[in-house]
Amino acid sequence: MTGKNAVRRDRSYPAARVQRRRGSLGRDARGRQRDLVANPRWLLSAVACSTLISISHGQAHAQSASWPAKPIRLVVPYPAGGPTDIVARLISPSMSEGLGRQIVIENRGGAGTLIGTELVAKAPPDGHTLLLVTSTISINPSTYKNLPYNTMRDLAPVTLVSSMPHTVIAHPSLPATTLPALVRLAKSRPGQLLYPSSGIGSANHLDVVLLARRLGIEVTHIPYKGSSQWQADLMTGNVHFALASPLGSLPLARNGKVRLLATTGAERLPMMPDIPTVAESLAPGYTADNWFGMFAPAGTPPEIVERVHREVVKTLAIAAIHSKFVDSGTQPAGMSPEAFTKFFRSEVEKWAQAVKLADIKIE
């Protein structure tokens, strides 16, 4: 079509119709103005919404400015004496000093971390209740049908505190001084070797399930409320082997209470260079890590979340504390809330796929 035809088409459009359309638009706008005056409820609703938003922002700002107004509860969803409890007690004194308020550690073990996690998920989002938990929190959405909280909706990730591989440990009386020897023993006694965990669906439960399937062995799971309980039974020989945090296993191994067989990291740990990895012993490419993360109730003001994160980072940078983490086979992290949120979501997705592939179900 030529430009001339296009102009002719434009001219053919009735000018009166354009004027009528403009007129109707003007009348519509004036009509809406008259409606607002005639029906003030619309205007009042708009003003009320604006006022509520302003009040909400003001309250959040005031809450952040006065925080912390009282001691802070740091909930550990395991009994006292386990690795998570050790980490909490390692970082809390310095954080208390930096925040100007005492951090009170509250151990709420049981149900694979569900009891303590639910407590925090349903706590007021005022920054006075925090959660320190392991990677089990990223597994539970895939293994439990009905959680008493929504993991992604009811919790706000604050920071990744640290991460570490597991160690494979066994009772000294077990006739297996290496991981290959343990596998041979398990194959000769199907279902007879007992391994503990810190609860059904915990990291050291599912990592054994996945490893056992890869190695073709059948072993029997015995769940506990936390590592401090099952470590006592492992030392007495009531259970035979376990996956354990270096924080808990290294002191026991140095005292001859347990035997170290392997680690599950990509590389050997510097403080135990003679202990091979699972990957180099039996399963090339195999790794399994655990981590400690801090969470707050969803809705906690971002300024408070960031302040807690900064205090964790400052604490992990203290030379004495940093060395205690490293010397125990644990890598300090201090990940930002934004980075930890992305990491946590990826962990939930990773475990969902692993649980589905392994067909793991918890009643």
Side-chain angles (χ1 to χ4, degrees), residues 33-304:
Q33 291 174 350
R34 286 195 300 271
D35 288 342
L36 285 174
V37 174
N39 188 4
R41 285 181 297 177
W42 289 94
L43 185 61
L44 290 174
S45 296
V47 171
C49 289
S50 177
T51 302
L52 286 173
I53 292 172
S54 298
I55 291 173
S56 177
H57 283 300
Q59 288 176 337
H61 178 74
Q63 185 182 52
S64 301
S66 62
W67 179 88
K70 58 183 179 181
I72 298 169
R73 283 195 304 174
L74 179 57
V75 177
V76 174
Y78 299 99
T84 314
D85 184 66
I86 293 173
V87 170
R89 296 181 190 280
L90 185 58
I91 66 175
S92 59
S94 173
M95 290 185 63
S96 295
E97 183 178 351
L99 293 171
R101 290 285 182 176
Q102 183 182 7
I103 293 179
V104 180
I105 297 171
E106 187 172 325
N107 297 95
R108 291 294 188 98
T113 75
L114 300 190
I115 294 174
T117 303
E118 180 184 11
L119 176 67
V120 176
K122 296 181 179 180
D126 57 7
H128 292 99
T129 304
L130 301 171
L131 175 72
L132 184 67
V133 67
T134 66
S135 56
T136 295
I137 192 173
S138 63
I139 301 173
N140 286 339
S142 300
T143 52
Y144 286 91
K145 292 181 179 179
N146 298 304
L147 288 176
Y149 54 86
N150 185 302
T151 304
M152 304 305 295
R153 184 191 65 207
D154 298 337
L155 293 165
V158 177
T159 185
L160 180 71
V161 178
S162 64
S163 62
M164 76 246 108
H166 298 289
T167 55
V168 184
I169 58 176
H171 188 266
S173 67
L174 202 68
T177 58
T178 64
L179 183 59
L182 177 66
V183 171
R184 290 193 297 269
L185 183 64
K187 288 183 176 180
S188 67
R189 304 178 186 177
Q192 294 183 35
L193 294 189
L194 310 179
Y195 73 94
S197 78
S198 299
I200 297 174
S202 61
N204 59 345
H205 168 209
L206 296 191
D207 279 329
V208 171
V209 171
L210 297 173
L211 181 60
R213 292 192 179 189
R214 178 161 180 175
L215 299 178
I217 60 175
E218 182 183 345
V219 290
T220 300
H221 176 227
I222 308 295
Y224 290 74
K225 286 186 177 181
S227 59
S228 56
Q229 282 84 0
W230 66 251
Q231 284 177 359
D233 272 3
L234 181 63
M235 287 187 288
T236 57
N238 291 328
V239 290
H240 303 112
F241 77 99
L243 289 188
S245 162
L247 279 167
S249 63
L250 280 177
L252 297 179
R254 287 167 181 159
N255 293 325
K257 303 294 185 180
V258 300
R259 179 183 293 136
L260 288 168
L261 303 182
T263 66
T264 63
E267 300 176 350
R268 297 190 183 196
L269 292 175
M271 71 292 305
M272 51 175 82
D274 296 332
I275 305 301
T277 65
V278 172
E280 64 183 290
S281 298
L282 285 172
Y286 175 86
T287 60
D289 292 327
N290 196 6
W291 47 261
F292 300 108
M294 190 172 289
F295 294 80
T300 300
E303 297 85 357
I304 293 178

